[in-house]
């Protein structure tokens, strides 16, 4: 059984930042990641552009050079690969953590491959794991996806995009530009207020001119092989359909936190209980980093304002050791 001072669960940008801080402090660690390196970023749409400028996505003091003011998904993947390689970070990919339990003075971590022990655990699992489901008949059909990737796939098809936040708007515009016949189904009365400011006029103008059809204050009733029923303020509408892109957002794996014994707030946000100075959770020796700290409020924390979590946590662990 391998032992490490620190086991970091999650190999996204914040997990990597924690590893860099641990390495700097001369502490032995391993990152366990259930998918590819920076798996969430890998699952972003291929043409995605970040809201942030490149220097705000930097970790470990390594410059992130981008060709444009706003870096792309591919540039981010290249950057985090380079950081991982340059610092020889100890990361094990495609290894899912199944259980974390406390023994007398250690943690035991069981994965799909083996069992480890650790003095301290850092959970940096992000929130791109579990999509919000539509919970409608037909959602299980293969034509429905919660992870939109590449617009070319939808060329000349009848596509419904559910949702009007950044991911939904990007999917609608990109697939329309590749020749798809696009209909948006939006629960609220308008395009989401957090949509990127340079994209909003584009989608609003496409809807206004009728190039993209949008049903506001509407929801999907049922998805069938060749059609979709939509509940609108004017009644139920049935439209021809080949593919449904459900851009309904994602949620963190709070169940995993509960299984490790971490307390969550009693309200709908389910915010993990933690010390703001050290980021130690209600379970002594388990620390939280990144967007997982916000519970269901996933719009409060991003790479740029979570990088400092790594510094706080490693300082706290060093103090605990002395």
């Amino acid at each position: 059984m391998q032992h490490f001072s620190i086991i970091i669960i999650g190999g996204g940008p914040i997990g990597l930042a924690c590893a860099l801080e641990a390495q700097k402090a001369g502490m032995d660690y391993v990152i366990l990641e259930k998918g590819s390196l920076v798996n969430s970023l890998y699952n972003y749409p291929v043409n995605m552009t970040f809201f942030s400028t490149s220097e705000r996505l930097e970790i470990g003091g390594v410059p992130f050079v981008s060709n444009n003011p706003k870096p792309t998904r591919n540039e981010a993947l290249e950057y985090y690969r380079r950081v991982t390689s340059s610092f020889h970070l100890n990361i094990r990919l495609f290894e899912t953590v199944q259980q974390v339990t406390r023994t007398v003075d250690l943690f035991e971590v069981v994965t799909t491959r083996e069992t480890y022990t650790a003095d301290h655990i850092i959970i940096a699992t992000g929130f791109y794991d579990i999509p919000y489901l539509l919970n409608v008949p037909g959602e299980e059909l293969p034509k429905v996806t919660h992870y939109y990737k590449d617009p070319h796939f939808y060329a000349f098809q009848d596509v419904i995009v559910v949702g009007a936040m950044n991911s939904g708007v990007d999917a609608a515009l990109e697939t329309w530009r590749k020749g798809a016949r696009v209909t948006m189904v939006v629960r609220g009365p308008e395009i989401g207020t957090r949509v990127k400011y340079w994209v909003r006029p584009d989608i609003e103008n496409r809807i206004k001119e009728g190039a993209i059809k949008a049903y506001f204050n509407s929801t999907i009733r049922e998805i069938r092989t060749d059609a979709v029923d939509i509940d609108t303020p004017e009644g139920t509408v049935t439209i021809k359909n080949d593919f449904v892109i459900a851009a309904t957002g994602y949620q963190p794996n709070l169940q995993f936190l509960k299984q490790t014994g971490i307390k969550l707030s009693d309200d709908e946000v389910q915010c993990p209980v933690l010390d703001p100075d050290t980021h130690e959770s209600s379970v002594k020796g388990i620390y939280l980093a990144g967007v997982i700290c916000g519970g269901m409020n996933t719009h409060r924390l991003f790479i740029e304002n979570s990088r400092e979590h790594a510094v706080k946590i490693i300082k706290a662990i060093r103090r605990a050791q002395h």
Side-chain angles (χ1 to χ4, degrees):
M1 200 182 291
Q2 293 184 72
H3 177 80
F4 294 92
S5 294
I6 303 170
I7 287 180
I8 300 163
I9 303 171
I14 303 306
L16 300 182
C18 290
L20 288 168
E21 288 300 318
Q23 198 162 292
K24 214 192 297 180
M27 303 171 84
D28 62 303
Y29 68 90
V30 66
I31 307 168
L32 302 174
E33 166 54 58
K34 70 171 188 178
S36 64
L37 181 71
V38 291
N39 198 55
S40 296
L41 300 194
Y42 174 74
N43 281 317
Y44 283 175
V46 289
N47 297 328
M48 199 209 81
T49 300
F50 279 87
F51 220 132
S52 307
T53 51
S54 55
E55 74 274 3
R56 300 184 72 191
L57 303 177
E58 290 173 0
I59 57 173
V62 179
F64 182 167
V65 180
S66 169
N67 294 324
N68 304 292
K70 312 274 186 188
T72 64
R73 164 193 175 271
N74 281 352
E75 287 176 326
L77 294 180
E78 176 63 38
Y79 171 74
Y80 292 116
R81 270 201 311 274
R82 190 158 49 83
V83 170
T84 303
S85 169
S86 300
F87 287 89
H88 306 290
L89 296 183
N90 186 18
I91 183 165
R92 301 185 184 179
L93 301 169
F94 302 100
E95 183 167 352
T96 304
V97 173
Q98 296 173 312
Q99 197 180 353
V100 176
T101 48
R102 179 104 214 195
T103 59
V104 180
D105 53 356
L106 292 173
F107 292 99
E108 188 175 278
V109 178
V110 179
T111 75
T112 43
R113 295 195 181 167
E114 52 190 295
T115 301
Y116 305 86
T117 58
D119 301 313
H120 309 275
I121 305 285
I122 301 173
I123 300 175
T125 46
F127 77 104
Y128 214 62
D129 289 350
I130 308 164
Y132 284 108
L133 298 180
L134 300 169
N135 293 316
V136 298
E139 187 171 12
E140 73 292 341
L141 290 170
K143 71 176 198 169
V144 181
T145 182
H146 290 272
Y147 290 92
Y148 159 72
K149 292 287 283 185
D150 180 25
H152 170 82
F153 180 82
Y154 301 98
F156 316 125
Q157 300 293 292
D158 290 298
V159 175
I160 284 178
V161 176
V162 185
M165 300 305 281
N166 278 302
S167 54
V169 168
D170 285 348
L173 287 169
E174 288 180 13
T175 53
W176 172 73
R177 291 208 156 89
K178 294 291 185 278
R181 296 173 291 276
V182 178
T183 301
M184 296 182 77
V185 178
V186 184
R187 184 186 290 274
E190 61 178 352
I191 295 299
T193 53
R194 283 192 292 264
V195 168
K196 291 172 276 203
Y197 65 86
W198 64 92
V199 175
R200 175 182 285 280
D202 191 0
I203 188 66
E204 288 177 341
N205 289 331
R206 300 299 72 76
I207 291 168
K208 204 177 292 177
E209 72 187 13
I212 292 173
K213 172 76 178 163
Y215 291 99
F216 291 101
N217 298 307
S218 301
T219 54
I220 300 273
R221 175 186 281 260
E222 184 174 354
I223 301 167
R224 297 193 299 283
T225 310
D226 56 358
V228 170
D229 298 331
I230 305 166
D231 284 336
T232 77
E234 285 73 47
T236 303
V237 175
T238 298
I239 66 170
K240 186 168 166 293
N241 174 257
D242 297 306
F243 292 99
V244 175
I245 300 169
T248 45
Y250 307 94
Q251 53 189 306
N253 190 349
L254 297 176
Q255 194 53 42
F256 177 70
L257 297 189
K258 285 182 193 167
Q259 283 167 3
T260 64
I262 294 170
K263 290 193 180 76
L264 308 179
S265 66
D266 292 330
D267 53 17
E268 68 278 1
V269 179
Q270 298 184 68
C271 206
V273 174
L274 55 81
D275 181 325
D277 296 323
T278 64
H279 277 251
E280 189 170 28
S281 72
S282 60
V283 176
K284 190 172 170 51
I286 299 184
Y287 300 80
L288 304 183
V291 76
I292 194 78
C293 300
M296 298 298 278
N297 188 355
T298 53
H299 298 289
R300 190 168 62 81
L301 294 163
F302 306 94
I303 298 169
E304 54 260 46
N305 59 5
S306 297
R307 295 175 297 183
E308 67 199 39
H309 297 179
V311 177
K312 286 182 177 180
I313 291 168
I314 299 304
K315 271 186 185 163
I317 290 175
R318 289 186 76 184
R319 278 199 303 270
Q321 285 183 325
H322 295 112

